[in-house]
Amino acid sequence: MALNSRLLGLAFASADTLVEIDGEGRIVLAMGAAPATGHAPEANWTGRTLTDLFEPRSAGRLKQALANLTPGNRSDPLDLLYDLGDGAFRRVRSRLFSLPELAPHCSCALTWQGQPFSLEPTADTPLVTRDDLMRQTSSLLAKQGPDPLTLAFVDVTGLDQVAGDQLETLKTRLHSALQSVSVDGTSASHLAGSAYALLRRDSDGSAVEDAIHNVAALEGVDVSADIRQVELSPGVDRQATLRAMRHALEVCIANGAMDDPDITFKNTLDRTLVQMDSFRTMVKARDFALHYQPIVDLKSGVTHHFEALARIPGCDGPESTIRLAETLALIESFDLVVAEKAIQQMLQPGYGLTRVAVNVSAGSLATDTYGEALMRLTANHGDIRRRLSLEVTETATILDLPGTQRRLARLRQAGFRVFLDDFGVGASSFDHLNHLTVDGVKIDGAFVMRAIEDDKSRTLIRHLVEMCGGLDLKTVAERVETGEVAELMLKLGVHLGQGWFFGKPEPQPRLERPTLAATSRRRGAVESWG
Ligand code: C2E
Ligand code: MG
Ligand code: MG
């Protein structure tokens, strides 16, 4: 085989199209695949100036690279937009090299990227939702591509200078442009305002910049983009990393941290991964405590049961850690060890009749695992099942109501009681009550605290109690801080009360010594839930 053919073979092994240009930049030889048709490009290219084939800004960069090229050297790869005419483009990666014996001629190797795309406004290139963006991130991280996956944050500046009518067209074009330079042409998403995020297999944002510049040129407006890219690495635990990424993305958006989204994202991601790790360690070592707060029968003043509330070392209150654990899907194992600890407490001598409620996040009821584990934990303690109740929290996140109902029904059948926690705060509280069979509801503390002053809260509670009566459900008023509120709740027909007025959460359930008035019904030692 002639040396020439061998060299050609080698050259084509790393590029789709090879071009030779003379000292004036005119194409003297072109071979390989053409950008759109797949046919050989010689016919239309020979004699043309190479830089004329590209979109103006790409052409500028190519010109610059040609000017810097010295005989015997090779340029860095350049990402360019090839102009197919009629507003259509195709991305191409190019590399220049200059053989000393051919100078001033030089060679250009082109590798076509993605599919040709148009910046004409079309309705069929809508941006994807953030959920879809995360789904795609997940599947792309699973496939090892040759180039690392990057998340590009794009802030389009100058949109506020564009008038109403034109803005719509401009945005449609922008969306097409962003999609076209994203992985598979389907992974660009709108974050907030002028901020977008897209997945790329390229650590250099120039193709994005070019695409946006094209849109601006087509519309004749002064719009540009600030692009920051973060390399995504799946880490050891891909699912966990993905959840942390989603959380970091949400933090970027929620904090409006669009000035430095890459820094915010990266910092939040790193911090979240550390937090996940320490949460897991904390759960594994059971390195937390439960405090017990009495829930009192408003009529008799007798403790009906105790709510077990987690106390996590180093945290002011458990709420923020628990909400993060919910977001990161780590809550199930935690809720389970909480139940385990509560059961241990209930089995202590002297606590034989004590009833306890544990919180269980809706997320923990999204699969069968929690319920099955709880059944195993209590397999040898039938009475524990009748003494333990579950407060379903964060009901806003219940996605699968029939599945949750099925799991709760199984637990209720086994003897556990179920309450809906924080009732009334979420828009879907009533929907949940309609679909889930429970034993009672806990009226959110916000209503209870307002009830003395606020007529509306009182009316709401009164109607809620009436409705619960009709459904044969127990009602619990949360955050009863004063005797006045306790009395009001009793007057409104609420059965049980919980709050500082009756007692704060304490390391042990506070069992009252029998008094003359209540020898047969000690606090914390009531025989039935009725
Ligand atoms: P929650 O289940 O609604 O618990 C009641 C919260 O109200 C507790 O906050 C309690 O300390 C507080 N509280 C009680 N009485 C009063 C009062 O009179 N006034 C005021 N202002 N607050 C009162 P805490 O312990 O900070 O727990 C916050 C939330 O964290 C809980 O709300 C629950 O959603 C969650 N949580 C706590 N432990 C667990 C757990 O083991 N698993 C899960 N999934 N969530 C838990
Ligand atoms: Mg609760
Ligand atoms: Mg509550």
Side-chain angles (χ1 to χ4, degrees), residues 263-315:
I263 297 172
T264 312
F265 181 83
K266 187 88 185 59
N267 287 351
T268 314
L269 181 59
D270 290 346
R271 203 177 42 242
T272 310
L273 288 169
V274 170
Q275 283 170 325
M276 279 175 117
D277 218 40
S278 56
F279 188 84
R280 282 202 184 105
T281 311
M282 183 269 290
V283 173
K284 213 167 161 192
R286 278 112 172 109
D287 182 21
F288 67 94
L290 289 184
H291 281 195
Y292 296 84
Q293 187 177 28
I295 295 178
V296 170
D297 185 314
L298 288 172
K299 249 188 209 152
S300 66
V302 169
T303 298
H304 184 269
H305 65 282
F306 294 87
E307 177 174 6
L309 292 155
R311 293 294 174 259
I312 300 168
C315 298

Side-chain angles (χ1 to χ4, degrees), residues 363-378:
S364 301
L365 297 167
T367 65
D368 292 338
T369 323
Y370 175 86
E372 284 169 1
L374 195 57
M375 292 298 278
R376 277 197 301 277
L377 269 180
T378 51

Side-chain angles (χ1 to χ4, degrees), residues 38 64 114-115 182 187 207 223 251 303 314 319 330 382 419 442 483 500 519:
Q64 190 65 48
Q115 292 305 309
S182 69
S187 55
V223 162
V251 168
T303 298
E319 195 128 31
L330 298 174
F419 286 77
K442 296 188 74 179
W500 299 340
T519 34

